[in-house]
Amino acid sequence: MIQAPRLFIDGGFTGPACIRIEAGRIVAITDETAPGALVLADGFISPGLIDIHNNGALGIDVATASIAQCHTLAADLAARGVTAFTPTIITAPIPALHQAAARIAAAQSSLQGAPVAQIIGLHLEGPFLSPVRRGAHQAAWLAEPSSAALDELLADPHLAACLTLITLAPELPGALAAIRHLRGRGIAVALGHTDADAATMQAAAAAGARLVTHVFTAQRPFHHRDPGPVGVALTDPRLFPCVISDGLHADPIAMKLAFAAAGRRAIAVTDSILIAGLPPGAEGEFGGAPVIAAPDGLGRRPDGTIAGAGIFLDEGIRRLIRAGIAPHAALHAATAAPAEALGLADHGRIAPGQRADLIWWGDDFTIRQVWVGGRLHNAQTHDAPSGPPLTLRGPALPATEAMQAGLDDLDIWPASAIIETLLAQERAAQAALARSAPSLARLAEAAGARIAGGGRLFYAGAGTSGRLALLDAVECGPTFNLPDHIIIPLLAGGPGAMLHAIEGAEDDQAAAAQQLAAYGIHRGDTLVGIAASGRTNFVEGAIHAARRAGALTGCIVNNLASPIAALVDIAVEIDSGPEVISGSTRLSAGTTQKIALNCLSSTIMIMAGKTYGGFMIDVRASNQKLRQRAARIVQSITACDQAAAEHALKSTGFSVKPAIIMLRHHVDAAQGANILNQHNGNLRQALNATPTKTDQIEPA
């Protein structure tokens, strides 16, 4: 099982959740972590990437690759998140295509079950392409898709068995009949390298074509009176337009346009060739002619013609996001969309029954780990991503101020989806809080020891953090019968800031120091600063003043490695991450702060003997509801009836602990109070002690 803070499921982010895997498939997705689960600290899990247009990489050309080289390529692709791909062979003589298909079919069989990218079939890009839009393809090898040409192509059993996708130009003679024939044999057809008009493209879609190969590239350009292949690709719901995601074959604006028009039909591809992953200047042969890795990252012919791309699909995802495409749209385009276009029913999604092809991404969209068929791919050789970081909008922004991925159109979501997203983020934040439990426990132990020695606990916070601290301090009074001078909240702007924002109060370091000086803070006290950002001036001022007085200092913050955390003795750092509404730390950060404060003060009070088991034995019974609760507590601990409990409570002024001692030790109220005092107010110790004869009530 794998537990992750977030999962990318059905086009959106949710979590935290746990994925259960058996025999290489996902069998369940649950909210609970099972014993032995792999718990991921951050990032998210997505389905494995599916690259349906990959001609090779790292010096390997799939058209000429040996079976061993296919294994090497599959491992390298898996290291970069690709768990399934269609090796793509461009135009070549038919006998050469047959020979390549035999090697790919053998590699496909030998790779099955290995934790590397799986071959899902062969993609032939040609030879049935337009001579005027051939790009880097050799003109001498082009052909028309006649019945005889198709028969010759499909006569080879290896090719017929592994051919999954073929790209052709629909305007060629016999093309529409060829599309129908190929579809009848279960082979998907993509339209590409074409000079077709819009009507011909639509006719091809009606004949059964499913995809458009590298929209914009090697096809008639769009014109408002002649929309051609581009116009139909982006608007016809029957077609999935494939977008080369390097930002070079198509300008980022064009990529953004394609995604805006096609929506969930858009497919991200690489069109990578053997120069992918090689340094500029690397040379090779591709499609029967030389190719060089150009300085711009493209593979080019000696005359400058673009021959293919130089990226892997994980880098393509990052470039799409930098172009302004929403992360959820970019991920969908590389997972569920290609699976749907090729009819891969068990690929591309995280759901029960699907192959357990999974990627653990960091929050910066770099790959941490990959599983193929539920098996861990260990040979991680990730390249450093190019371009600026994705998660943060600026390097100085703390995580709580960053934009959360996948929410670009949040404002037009239905209420149910917004609620689900908010709740998912709350669960993820609480999982982050759970990871800070050891430091929170250390702070509770240290602060509790100082309170036991007569010290006090000060809170300091501004805005939401300060209000939550004040609330916690106030609630400890009736819950634990705690005097007001034990837990003391310092709120930036003073008590009035509880109801109204006080402009500039959080920036006033001197005000915090003055408040602490008025209380006479000393070395027996504890000061805990609460600040989501970890850099609030008011809180920093309080910490500096507490340190000068020799007091213990701690903090509760929601960013790692913050300035405040560096100042204190014990830092509780809750990496709750970006908010659904960017920067609104009253949400997940506020939730985790409230829980942390609850845990901190409650633990201190429990350790101070303010509870007996789970009973609130120091409750201040100041109203009818609390008096009834006090009676129930006395009845539960002493097994007496209601009348006896009420009588004992009235005798002690509704003080629960001496009432319990009265009933358990058979003493009067004064004697019960005396026994309790002998044990410093600790009920458990007082009950376990044997009362002296003078403590007990003598029978009349």
Side-chain angles (χ1 to χ4, degrees):
M1 295 187 72
I2 305 172
Q3 168 81 24
R6 287 182 293 163
L7 303 182
F8 179 71
I9 295 180
D10 294 333
F13 292 90
T14 187
C18 197
I19 304 172
R20 198 171 87 220
I21 300 168
E22 293 179 6
R25 292 190 178 270
I26 299 169
V27 296
I29 300 169
T30 66
D31 294 332
E32 299 180 356
T33 304
L38 172 64
V39 179
L40 308 182
D42 55 10
F44 66 94
I45 293 283
S46 83
L49 305 181
I50 304 171
D51 193 355
I52 63 172
H53 196 150
N54 187 299
N55 304 275
L58 298 168
I60 298 171
D61 180 4
V62 297
T64 58
S66 66
I67 296 174
Q69 287 177 315
C70 287
H71 280 251
T72 299
L73 177 62
D76 287 330
L77 291 177
R80 294 163 174 87
V82 175
T83 57
F85 73 114
T86 54
T88 301
I89 300 174
I90 71 168
T91 299
I94 299 295
L97 297 179
H98 289 167
Q99 293 169 8
R103 292 190 297 273
I104 288 172
Q108 180 180 22
S109 176
S110 62
L111 288 171
Q112 287 183 1
V116 298
Q118 299 293 289
I119 294 175
I120 52 177
L122 173 64
H123 174 193
L124 286 184
E125 188 183 0
F128 309 128
L129 309 178
S130 167
V132 299
R133 301 290 179 189
R134 63 183 176 87
H137 293 245
Q138 299 295 302
W141 297 336
L142 297 177
E144 294 180 353
S146 64
S147 295
L150 276 182
D151 288 344
E152 181 184 5
L153 181 69
L154 298 175
D156 178 72
H158 299 295
L159 191 147
C162 70
L163 182 59
T164 294
L165 175 65
I166 186 169
T167 295
L168 57 76
E171 72 273 22
L172 296 178
L176 298 184
I179 292 171
R180 287 189 286 269
H181 178 75
L182 291 163
R183 292 300 297 134
R185 297 188 61 156
I187 299 166
V189 176
L191 310 175
H193 287 272
T194 173
D195 200 43
D197 58 18
T200 303
M201 290 287 292
Q202 290 169 329
R210 288 280 286 168
L211 304 94
V212 177
T213 292
H214 46 53
V215 67
F216 301 117
T217 298
Q219 51 193 234
R220 181 193 293 200
F222 176 86
H223 186 276
H224 62 281
R225 285 191 293 272
D226 179 16
V230 175
V232 175
L234 300 186
T235 61
D236 194 315
R238 297 169 293 187
L239 296 172
F240 289 80
C242 299
V243 181
I244 300 175
S245 55
D246 62 358
L248 300 170
H249 279 77
D251 185 88
I253 293 175
M255 295 195 302
K256 195 171 180 180
L257 173 65
F259 274 76
R264 292 171 67 86
R265 293 182 293 113
I267 294 175
V269 299
T270 59
D271 193 20
S272 68
I273 63 174
L274 60 94
I275 60 95
L278 299 182
E283 298 181 1
E285 183 175 294
F286 173 63
V291 67
I292 186 170
D296 60 6
L298 292 168
R300 292 183 180 271
R301 296 296 192 205
D303 64 1
T305 300
I306 295 176
I311 65 166
F312 296 90
L313 195 48
D314 64 320
E315 176 63 20
I317 296 293
R318 292 187 285 270
R319 293 191 185 187
L320 288 172
I321 295 171
R322 291 191 188 99
I325 294 157
H328 68 269
L331 287 167
H332 177 84
T335 55
E340 182 181 352
L342 294 185
L344 305 173
D346 60 351
H347 286 69
R349 296 173 58 236
I350 296 178
Q354 294 280 295
R355 282 179 53 91
D357 295 342
L358 303 168
I359 304 172
W360 173 24
W361 300 83
D363 290 319
D364 57 355
F365 285 87
T366 56
I367 291 176
R368 303 282 186 83
Q369 193 53 269
V370 178
W371 293 264
V372 184
R375 296 181 62 191
L376 184 65
H377 175 74
N378 289 314
Q380 301 298 78
T381 57
H382 313 312
D383 296 327
S386 63
L390 293 173
T391 302
L392 304 180
R393 294 299 172 93
L397 283 177
T400 50
E401 298 292 328
M403 295 292 294
Q404 189 176 128
L407 302 178
D408 297 57
D409 53 354
L410 175 68
D411 54 300
I412 59 173
W413 287 12
S416 60
I418 295 172
I419 293 293
E420 289 172 3
T421 300
L422 288 166
L423 292 176
Q425 171 59 24
E426 294 292 343
R427 291 192 295 270
Q430 290 180 48
L433 172 60
R435 295 192 292 272
S436 71
S439 56
L440 189 58
R442 289 196 301 274
L443 183 58
E445 289 175 350
R450 296 211 171 198
I451 289 176
R456 298 163 296 176
L457 171 60
F458 289 89
Y459 290 149
T464 296
S465 299
R467 295 183 187 103
L468 291 171
L470 190 151
L471 182 63
D472 188 74
V474 169
E475 289 177 339
C476 284
T479 303
F480 301 111
N481 198 20
L482 192 70
D484 293 340
H485 66 273
I486 302 299
I487 299 182
I488 304 171
L490 308 180
L491 176 58
M498 189 69 184
L499 298 178
H500 303 284
I502 306 297
E503 296 298 330
E506 72 172 51
D507 298 325
D508 193 345
Q509 286 201 23
Q514 290 167 3
Q515 291 187 45
L516 285 174
Y519 280 105
I521 188 170
H522 54 76
R523 60 186 307 107
D525 294 327
T526 302
L527 182 285
V528 176
I530 304 99
S533 66
R535 57 184 70 232
T536 303
N537 286 335
F538 178 86
V539 176
E540 287 193 36
I543 292 170
H544 284 301
R547 286 171 61 88
R548 288 193 296 270
L552 174 74
T553 57
C555 71
I556 298 172
V557 296
N558 291 83
N559 284 297
L560 302 180
S562 68
I564 285 175
L567 291 175
V568 300
D569 299 308
I570 303 173
V572 179
E573 298 175 287
I574 308 166
D575 188 17
S576 54
E579 301 284 358
V580 172
I581 302 173
S582 177
S584 182
T585 51
R586 71 182 187 88
L587 298 173
S588 294
T591 299
T592 57
Q593 288 175 0
K594 173 60 176 165
I595 296 173
L597 287 166
N598 284 347
C599 293
L600 177 65
S601 59
S602 297
T603 301
I604 291 171
M605 294 297 102
I606 291 167
M607 294 170 63
K610 294 286 188 178
T611 64
Y612 183 85
F615 290 109
M616 192 189 301
I617 55 172
D618 256 334
V619 61
R620 188 182 295 163
S622 57
N623 57 41
Q624 183 63 26
K625 180 189 75 172
L626 294 178
R627 285 192 287 272
Q628 291 173 350
R629 179 181 298 166
R632 290 195 299 270
I633 292 170
V634 172
Q635 286 180 259
S636 298
I637 295 176
T638 65
C640 70
D641 59 25
Q642 182 175 347
E646 291 177 351
H647 173 74
L649 284 167
K650 288 176 182 177
S651 300
T652 62
F654 284 90
S655 183
V656 173
K657 290 194 289 190
I660 292 171
I661 294 173
M662 283 179 60
L663 293 167
R664 286 279 293 269
H665 282 331
H666 307 291
V667 298
D668 62 21
Q671 292 167 324
N674 182 55
I675 294 171
L676 191 62
N677 289 335
Q678 291 174 14
H679 297 281
N680 298 315
N682 188 294
L683 178 61
R684 188 173 296 277
Q685 292 177 10
L687 290 178
N688 290 338
T690 301
T692 64
K693 190 172 182 64
T694 57
D695 286 330
Q696 293 179 316
I697 300 173
E698 295 293 335

